[in-house]
């Protein structure tokens, strides 16, 4: 047996991509379209029974751009030259040794789904939540609890990125207005009971330094019966801010939007208010002697810009009474079995997508792409550049890859079946997709005040149900 992958006169190069979100699909698509004189055979694995990763379980359901991204990914997977194998958990159902046995190259595209840490006192209190965990709940992730404690009237959201705005918008939006989306029934019922009146979003720097996009910002104003509240003292601009506004159209657009909202002083008497605070840095989440162990407020330090666009503390402390705090300061990648991990950055150590060992030397045949490669920064489309770089290195290394011992595509299926893994397929996803659309078409709402309602789909949450529907008639 040769110790390197085959050349063009032999079998196709076998590649496993672990993670069927945008990063994994983009990598598969780029590899299939690469200029090459040999065949490739790609299997795309995911821990969930359904594909799309972050798009299905990490993006707010009321985003209009979701459909466009899903359509693009669907076109790639629907071509038939990439095999999807869902409900397969790396490290449990299949090990790295297994993948090496069946594939010449392995690409990790597992993304980042957990919350980045926020090291302040009180984060452990009841009522202190990770924003990523909340996103997983309202997006129907099958591996999180079905219920979510929504009993706070006043809520703080820490962060000034897109996830923070998503969390704040979902918390402040009326549940009936989300029925046109694919939110699961348990999420609707939970949000419907929420007594929330005020959601406060806190950012450490000024309006010119926010990390969200104009689209995210505009979507805030589309919420029915929700007033947006801003504060004149938060609108501070230093030299770096002025330069950013002059040279960056996106910043200019967002600052203009925020400034216009401030001048308009929106106050319609809505039943809910979404407050946008800038120049605030969290100091402590605290409880109250009357309710020990439960969030009763958050102390924020006023900050000021230092001329470079960064912020420094002023020493002024403001205590906001809230009963829940959501930390939305970023995502963080999870460690994977048998693969190196940079615990500071939450990524797999790599050079341009080539996974490296503790000495910095490339590990033959192992690659990475997407957020687990570079960290959770940038928009979804940026993962295309990541994938292009990674695939470029994989193609460079092709003749020196350690050859798979059982490259025949049916071999991995036989192993999964021997181990009793209830894997799902692309055809299975189509069955689940049709099932969710049927649930939407048959949805009956009991509230006469909502009127006639057409739902495109209702997302299935239960993993066993997802798997059952996906596998119906496949065996």
């Amino acid at each position: 047996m040769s110790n390197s992958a085959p050349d063009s006169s032999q079998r196709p190069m076998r590649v496993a991509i672990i993670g069927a979100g945008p990063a994994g699909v983009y990598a598969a698509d780029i590899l299939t379209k690469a200029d090459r004189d040999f065949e490739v055979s790609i299997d795309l694995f995911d821990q969930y029974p359904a594909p799309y990763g972050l798009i299905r379980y990490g993006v707010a359901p009321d985003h209009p751009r979701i459909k466009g991204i899903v359509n693009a990914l669907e076109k790639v997977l629907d071509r038939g030259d990439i095999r999807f194998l869902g409900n397969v958990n790396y490290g449990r159902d299949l090990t790295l040794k297994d993948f090496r046995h069946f594939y010449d190259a392995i690409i990790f595209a597992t993304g980042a789904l957990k919350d980045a840490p926020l090291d302040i006192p009180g984060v452990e209190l009841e009522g202190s939540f990770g924003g990523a965990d909340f996103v997983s709940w309202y997006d129907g992730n099958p591996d999180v609890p079905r219920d979510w404690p929504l009993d706070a009237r006043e809520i703080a959201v820490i962060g000034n990125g897109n996830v923070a705005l998503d969390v704040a918008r979902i918390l402040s939006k009326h549940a009936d207005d989300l029925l046109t989306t694919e939110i699961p029934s348990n999420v609707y019922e939970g949000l419907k009971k929420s007594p929330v009146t005020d959601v406060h979003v806190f950012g450490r720097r000024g309006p010119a330094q926010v990390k969200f996009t104009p689209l995210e910002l505009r979507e805030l104003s589309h919420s029915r019966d929700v007033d947006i509240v801003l504060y004149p003292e938060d609108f501070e601009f230093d030299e770096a801010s002025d330069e950013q506004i002059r040279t960056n159209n996106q910043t200019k657009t967002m600052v203009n939007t925020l400034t216009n909202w401030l001048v308009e002083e929106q106050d319609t008497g809505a039943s809910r208010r979404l407050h946008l605070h800038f120049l605030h840095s969290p100091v402590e989440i605290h409880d109250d002697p009357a309710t020990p162990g439960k969030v009763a407020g958050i102390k924020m330090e006023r900050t000021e810009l230092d001329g470079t666009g960064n912020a420094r503390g002023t020493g002024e402390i403001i205590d906001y009474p809230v009963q829940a705090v959501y930390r939305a300061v970023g995502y963080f990648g999870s460690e994977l079995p048998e693969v190196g991990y940079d615990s500071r950055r939450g990524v797999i150590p790599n050079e341009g997508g080539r996974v490296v060992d503790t000495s910095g030397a490339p590990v033959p045949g192992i690659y990475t792409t997407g957020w687990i490669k570079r960290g959770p920064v940038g928009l979804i489309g940026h993962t295309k550049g990541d994938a292009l770089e990674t695939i470029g290195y994989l193609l460079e290394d092709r003749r020196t890859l350690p050859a798979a011992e059982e490259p025949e595509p049916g071999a991995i299926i036989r192993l999964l079946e021997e181990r009793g893994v209830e894997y799902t397929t692309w055809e299975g996803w189509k069955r689940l997709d049709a099932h969710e659309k049927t649930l939407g078409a048959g949805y009956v709402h009991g509230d006469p005040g909502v009127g006639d309602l057409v739902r495109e789909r209702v997302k299935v949450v239960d993993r066993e149900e997802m798997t059952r529907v996906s596998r119906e008639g496949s065996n």
Side-chain angles (χ1 to χ4, degrees), residues 83-100:
R83 184 168 65 174
F84 170 71
L85 295 170
N87 204 37
V88 180
N89 194 303
Y90 169 77
R92 183 189 66 196
D93 299 324
L94 294 175
T95 66
L96 184 60
K97 182 179 179 181
D98 294 326
F99 278 103
R100 281 195 174 280

Side-chain angles (χ1 to χ4, degrees), residues 274-468:
L274 200 163
H275 307 254
L276 298 180
H277 302 270
F278 305 105
L279 302 173
H280 282 69
S281 182
V283 174
E284 178 188 2
I285 303 168
H286 64 86
D287 57 6
D288 185 277
T291 55
K294 296 183 178 182
V295 171
I298 184 167
K299 294 181 179 180
M300 309 292 296
E301 181 181 15
R302 289 286 303 183
T303 61
E304 61 184 6
L305 298 177
D306 64 2
T308 68
N310 290 313
R312 60 194 173 203
T314 65
E316 179 187 353
I317 303 296
I318 305 174
D319 193 351
Y320 290 88
V322 296
Q323 300 82 51
V325 175
Y326 288 76
R327 309 177 303 278
V329 294
Y331 283 103
F332 207 72
S334 300
E335 185 173 4
L336 299 168
E338 302 181 84
V339 183
Y341 183 66
D342 182 339
S343 59
R344 183 180 61 85
R345 297 179 57 220
V347 300
I348 296 173
N350 71 93
E351 292 292 338
R354 287 182 174 122
V355 173
V356 298
D357 61 21
T358 53
S359 70
V363 180
I366 310 295
Y367 301 86
T368 185
T369 190
W371 279 3
I372 198 64
K373 168 188 173 182
R374 63 180 168 87
V377 293
L379 301 176
I380 292 170
H382 293 159
T383 57
K384 289 183 179 179
D386 278 344
L388 189 63
E389 180 184 50
T390 296
I391 296 303
Y393 282 126
L394 187 156
L395 294 175
E396 275 187 27
D397 301 340
R398 185 177 71 86
R399 296 189 184 279
T400 60
L401 296 175
E405 294 181 37
E406 286 192 77
E408 194 269 314
I412 186 68
I413 299 299
R414 288 191 293 273
L415 178 66
L416 290 172
E417 290 175 347
E418 287 171 8
R419 292 181 177 177
V421 178
E422 294 188 314
Y423 65 90
T424 60
T425 63
W426 180 246
E427 292 72 23
W429 159 246
K430 287 186 172 181
R431 283 189 285 272
L432 179 59
D433 183 39
H435 176 68
E436 292 186 340
K437 289 176 179 177
T438 298
L439 292 177
Y443 183 84
V444 177
H445 189 261
D447 186 349
V450 176
D452 294 335
L453 180 70
V454 177
R455 298 195 69 181
E456 183 175 341
R457 68 191 307 127
V458 176
K459 188 182 289 184
V460 174
V461 179
D462 184 76
R463 180 184 286 269
E464 291 185 2
E465 183 182 356
M466 293 174 68
T467 304
R468 176 186 57 78

Side-chain angles (χ1 to χ4, degrees), residues 205-210 236-248 251-252 255 305-311:
R205 296 188 291 171
Q209 287 80 38
V210 295
E236 178 183 311
F237 302 94
D238 59 3
E239 294 177 6
S241 301
D242 293 336
E243 179 66 17
Q244 180 77 358
I245 294 169
R246 282 196 302 268
T247 60
N248 188 296
T251 301
K252 181 179 180 180
V255 169
L305 298 177
D306 64 2
T308 68
N310 290 313

Side-chain angles (χ1 to χ4, degrees), residues 39 55 61 103 136 140 158 167 177 180 203 266 293 320 375 383 415-416 462:
E39 294 184 21
I55 300 300
Y103 299 93
S136 292
I158 303 172
V167 168
D177 296 333
T180 55
Q266 181 191 51
Y320 290 88
T383 57
L415 178 66
L416 290 172
D462 184 76

Side-chain angles (χ1 to χ4, degrees), residues 184-247:
S185 297
N186 66 294
V187 175
Y188 169 74
E189 295 298 336
L191 292 171
K192 180 72 172 175
K193 298 173 184 175
S194 172
V196 65
T197 59
D198 293 83
V199 177
H200 299 263
V201 182
F202 295 100
R204 187 174 59 86
R205 296 188 291 171
Q209 287 80 38
V210 295
K211 296 297 184 182
F212 42 76
T213 60
L215 176 62
E216 293 277 353
L217 186 61
R218 286 195 298 270
E219 285 177 358
L220 291 184
S221 63
H222 298 161
S223 295
R224 177 185 61 86
D225 191 35
V226 180
D227 281 344
I228 298 174
V229 183
L230 298 114
Y231 299 86
E233 62 271 22
D234 292 346
F235 281 71
E236 178 183 311
F237 302 94
D238 59 3
E239 294 177 6
S241 301
D242 293 336
E243 179 66 17
Q244 180 77 358
I245 294 169
R246 282 196 302 268
T247 60

Side-chain angles (χ1 to χ4, degrees), residues 4 47 77 132 135 143 147 155 165 171 173 182 192 230 267 294 306 317 344 348 370 386 415-416 459 465 474:
S4 61
Q47 64 177 320
L77 295 179
V135 173
D143 295 335
D147 298 323
I155 300 172
L165 287 200
L171 285 168
K173 207 165 188 174
E182 63 182 19
K192 180 72 172 175
L230 298 114
D267 182 5
K294 296 183 178 182
D306 64 2
I317 303 296
R344 183 180 61 85
I348 296 173
D386 278 344
L415 178 66
L416 290 172
K459 188 182 289 184
E465 183 182 356
S474 62

